[in-house]
Amino acid sequence: MAEMRCFSFTASKDWLYRLTFNHAGLRSVVSDLGHTTMMHCWAPKAPNQCKPNLVLLHGFGANAMWQYAEAVGHFTARFNVYVPDLLFFGGSYTGRPERTESFQARCLMKLMHVHGVERMSLVGISYGGFVGYSMAAQFPEAVEKLVLCCAGVCLEEKDMKEGLFRVKDLEEAKRILLPQTPDKLRELMRLSFVRPAKAVPSWILMDFINVMCKQYVEEKRELIEAVLKDRHLSNLPSISQPTLILWGEQDQVFPLELGYRLKSHLGKDTEIAIIKKAGHAVNIEKSKEFIKHLKSFLLVDHSSSRGSGSLIPADNFVQMER
């Protein structure tokens, strides 16, 4: 048993994901943005100016690799792919006091400038969608397309009190989204998946918590508080970029109602796709369908008219050598 405790399943899987990202043509880079702010990002080893840029933003949970490992290799041949860790996740950190998604977006924009990226498409899962939406609103000239996956950006502070969510209050939400015990991680899995893994040993769950959930806990709690504080739909800016809303039909973290609310807020030209038999972790639970929807949206040229575009020919892109 002593030897088993020395082995970390989570650290081993994290190492394998690093190999996956390296094999996809990406390298791990940490950038100093100044003012005690450091951001880690997986960036192309050899960016190709003939390719468009694609930024993949993660949600709460493990680092960015865990949330995009299934998808990243499907896009590196046609895009310069960037997969950053948002502040207080993975290798990213700031000593500044700001915790809003708008601050995250400004730091992300600065990071992209460091990498020489001026225009990009964005995919944001859950909390990453909040940051992506803020990017599109603050820097409309930089964001070409936006995919919001199970991102409840249209939620309001009153929704918690009115019972829209499965959790009864913000404190319970923080305990589940930032699990510190196997029981809380099991609860998060039940909320995130339609068919969560069963009978997972507590030592494996605790190993995941020790590796992925022990760092910057207080700062992440503040991120969650900032998302809900004084949030009103009337204050949410509209955006004009071609947008795809992607949602798991049985999402228990951000209910599907929020997806339709967002569709109504953005207007008829915004696309919405609902993936059946999927929950909040749709990128993992239904990865093939998730990737299919991303491809069908991102590989269409929306520049001529909203809502009707043509497929970008594959030969317009140079294949990346592996």
Side-chain angles (χ1 to χ4, degrees):
M1 291 300 293
E3 287 187 327
M4 180 175 289
R5 285 195 294 270
C6 290
F7 170 77
S8 172
F9 173 83
T10 306
S12 298
K13 194 166 185 178
D14 197 69
W15 180 79
L16 289 174
Y17 284 151
R18 286 183 173 273
L19 291 182
T20 298
F21 274 60
N22 271 294
H23 182 69
L26 305 183
R27 64 191 180 102
S28 175
V29 185
V30 177
S31 300
D32 186 345
L33 304 185
H35 304 288
T36 69
T37 300
M38 309 287 290
M39 288 195 75
H40 170 263
C41 183
W42 287 94
K45 295 176 182 177
N48 189 322
Q49 298 302 315
C50 296
K51 295 181 183 181
N53 301 304
L54 176 62
V55 180
L56 305 177
L57 302 177
H58 64 86
F60 270 74
N63 60 47
M65 290 189 300
W66 287 62
Q67 300 184 35
Y68 284 107
E70 294 290 330
V72 67
H74 290 267
F75 296 95
T76 48
R78 295 192 174 190
F79 294 90
N80 296 312
V81 176
Y82 297 84
V83 191
D85 284 322
L86 297 173
L87 295 174
F88 303 118
F89 297 89
S92 298
Y93 170 81
T94 184
R96 294 180 54 134
E98 296 94 330
R99 298 293 182 262
T100 62
E101 66 260 31
S102 61
F103 176 68
Q104 290 265 18
R106 291 193 296 274
C107 291
L108 180 59
M109 191 70 242
K110 192 171 183 179
L111 176 68
M112 291 298 100
H113 285 159
V114 169
H115 285 284
V117 175
E118 299 296 331
R119 290 179 61 79
M120 70 208 82
S121 292
L122 290 171
V123 177
I125 297 171
S126 192
Y127 179 70
F130 284 78
V131 178
Y133 193 99
S134 185
M135 278 272 288
Q138 292 186 72
F139 309 104
E141 71 289 345
V143 178
E144 297 175 310
K145 296 182 184 180
L146 181 63
V147 180
L148 300 169
C149 180
C150 300
V153 296
C154 269
L155 68 83
E156 299 191 88
E157 190 172 22
K158 66 179 183 179
D159 288 329
M160 182 75 73
K161 298 176 182 177
E162 294 179 355
L164 178 64
F165 304 110
R166 292 290 297 269
V167 295
K168 64 179 183 296
D169 56 36
L170 186 58
E171 289 304 312
E172 183 181 2
K174 288 187 285 186
R175 285 193 293 271
I176 295 172
L177 290 173
L178 302 171
Q180 299 298 299
T181 67
D183 283 344
K184 285 301 176 185
L185 183 51
R186 288 188 181 96
E187 193 169 353
L188 177 60
M189 292 166 62
R190 287 194 295 269
L191 288 175
S192 300
F193 295 89
V194 172
R195 294 183 177 180
K198 296 181 179 180
V200 181
S202 291
W203 73 267
I204 290 183
L205 298 178
M206 200 64 222
D207 176 64
F208 180 87
I209 291 168
N210 286 333
V211 176
M212 291 292 170
C213 304
K214 289 293 188 180
Q215 197 173 27
Y216 304 131
V217 175
E218 186 56 39
E219 290 86 349
K220 289 175 181 175
R221 287 180 178 139
E222 292 168 356
L223 294 180
I224 296 171
E225 291 169 0
V227 163
L228 199 62
K229 184 179 179 182
D230 298 326
R231 198 174 194 95
H232 303 284
L233 182 57
S234 59
N235 296 332
L236 185 70
S238 187
I239 58 175
S240 59
Q241 294 91 340
T243 301
L244 170 65
I245 299 168
L246 191 56
W247 225 276
E249 183 183 38
Q250 300 179 49
D251 191 335
Q252 297 183 79
V253 176
F254 289 131
L256 180 54
E257 176 184 330
L258 293 174
Y260 288 121
R261 188 188 293 178
L262 181 57
K263 173 76 168 67
S264 177
H265 179 74
L266 293 180
K268 63 180 181 180
D269 290 330
T270 299
E271 300 177 34
I272 186 168
I274 311 302
I275 298 181
K276 295 184 179 299
K277 298 180 180 179
H280 188 67
V282 64
N283 55 307
I284 298 172
E285 193 166 32
K286 294 287 184 177
S287 60
K288 290 182 180 179
E289 291 182 52
F290 173 73
I291 292 165
K292 181 189 72 173
H293 283 292
L294 293 188
K295 284 182 174 180
S296 65
F297 179 74
L298 294 170
L299 295 178
V300 168
D301 183 3
H302 292 84
S303 59
S304 57
S305 61
R306 289 289 304 272
S308 62
S310 57
L311 187 66
I312 300 175
D315 57 9
N316 279 12
F317 300 93
V318 180
Q319 296 289 328
M320 177 179 288
E321 295 182 2
R322 302 253 176 129

